[in-house]
Amino acid sequence: QKEVEQNSGPLSVPEGAIASLNCTYSDRGSQSFFWYRQYSGKSPELIMSIYSNGDKEDGRFTAQLNKASQYVSLLIRDSQPSDSATYLCAVTYNQAGTALIFGKGTTLSVSS
Amino acid sequence: DAGVIQSPRHEVTEMGQEVTLRCKPISGHDYLFWYRQTMMRGLELLIYFNNNVPIDDSGMPEDRFSAKMPNASFSTLKIQPSEPRDSAVYFCASVRGISGELFFGEGSRLTVL
């Protein structure tokens, strides 16, 4: 059974702080990793993708991947109230890399 | 582009009734996915299609669920008969090629009484 695990939260941080979201996955063959953001009552939207070990930065967001530890993380710097949402970790599970399985998500609350 | 279009947005039905959810993917996208989201189980992949052909339906919970994609611009997910445990938000998503950037529709919220 291929699984993606996340702490459900809620994770509460003050405005301007760094939010750290974590994810582990079970399938060592997974090649591609993604973070989606889902606002309450809305559909998920992609915010970051990462394919190789190390860090990838995009604005206030940094994704980190460690394939040996089967661990993915997302750091949000200078957190804003508008970042309050559920963050879903997603991993490709087949060799073709065409299908994603998602974690249950971590709910982030940023207080002003 | 109009994005992925799903209908209905909300459906309330009684146990035992047939439910049909519809999806129009983004034009030019060759992969289409059906997901179901609940608080307990999160976002679960039910089935996905490539060029209208079902590739993996191992996530379909049981025989009461079926999905079709008769052409590149239309897909349906059918539940017959429906049960209260089928209550969830059903998302359709599409993508062009091998990419993790799925484009999701707004979802169909199903309530089975």
Side-chain angles (χ1 to χ4, degrees):
Chain A
Q1 181 77 0
K2 296 177 174 57
E3 294 183 341
V4 177
E5 300 286 343
Q6 298 181 252
N7 288 327
S8 61
L11 173 65
S12 297
V13 301
E15 184 174 358
I18 295 175
S20 177
L21 305 162
N22 305 313
C23 169
T24 59
Y25 59 95
S26 63
D27 183 9
R28 283 195 171 275
S30 296
Q31 297 294 321
S32 305
F33 308 87
F34 308 89
W35 285 97
Y36 280 73
R37 178 176 61 200
Q38 186 176 25
Y39 291 113
S40 180
K42 301 296 184 181
S43 56
E45 56 179 346
L46 179 70
I47 55 171
M48 287 287 289
S49 59
I50 186 166
Y51 305 97
S52 55
N53 283 330
D55 295 0
K56 178 182 178 182
E57 187 174 315
D58 183 1
R60 296 186 297 111
F61 298 94
T62 299
Q64 300 174 316
L65 173 62
N66 184 325
K67 289 186 178 180
S69 301
Q70 296 175 241
Y71 178 87
V72 194
S73 67
L74 179 70
L75 299 178
I76 306 174
R77 291 181 300 282
D78 188 24
S79 295
Q80 300 297 308
S82 58
D83 294 326
S84 299
T86 297
Y87 290 80
L88 304 170
C89 175
V91 174
T92 52
Y93 78 93
N94 57 350
Q95 282 213 333
T98 50
L100 297 183
I101 54 171
F102 285 81
K104 292 182 182 179
T106 299
T107 299
L108 172 66
S109 176
V110 181
S111 55
S112 57
Chain B
D1 212 325
V4 176
I5 299 172
Q6 292 187 245
S7 65
R9 292 292 313 281
H10 301 274
E11 174 93 4
V12 180
T13 190
E14 297 203 342
M15 183 173 62
Q17 296 299 305
E18 178 178 295
V19 173
T20 299
L21 308 178
R22 298 173 177 79
C23 175
K24 176 179 170 56
I26 294 172
S27 177
H29 284 190
D30 53 347
Y31 284 87
L32 183 141
F33 303 81
W34 283 100
Y35 284 88
R36 175 174 70 175
Q37 188 173 40
T38 61
M39 289 292 292
M40 287 292 292
R41 301 177 68 89
L43 197 60
E44 302 174 278
L45 176 62
L46 300 177
I47 185 171
Y48 78 95
F49 297 82
N50 177 218
N51 291 323
N52 314 338
V53 176
I55 303 301
D56 186 350
D57 65 354
S58 60
M60 296 285 262
E62 44 197 280
D63 291 345
R64 297 184 298 107
F65 286 70
S66 63
K68 294 182 180 180
M69 191 165 185
N71 57 61
S73 58
F74 184 66
S75 177
T76 60
L77 178 68
K78 186 175 292 187
I79 309 171
Q80 166 63 19
S82 57
E83 297 183 3
R85 59 193 168 121
D86 301 331
S87 297
V89 180
Y90 290 80
F91 286 104
C92 176
S94 69
V95 65
R96 186 200 311 265
I98 299 173
S99 165
E101 186 171 5
L102 302 187
F103 291 84
F104 283 82
E106 293 184 303
S108 294
R109 180 175 295 276
L110 173 64
T111 303
V112 183
L113 303 175

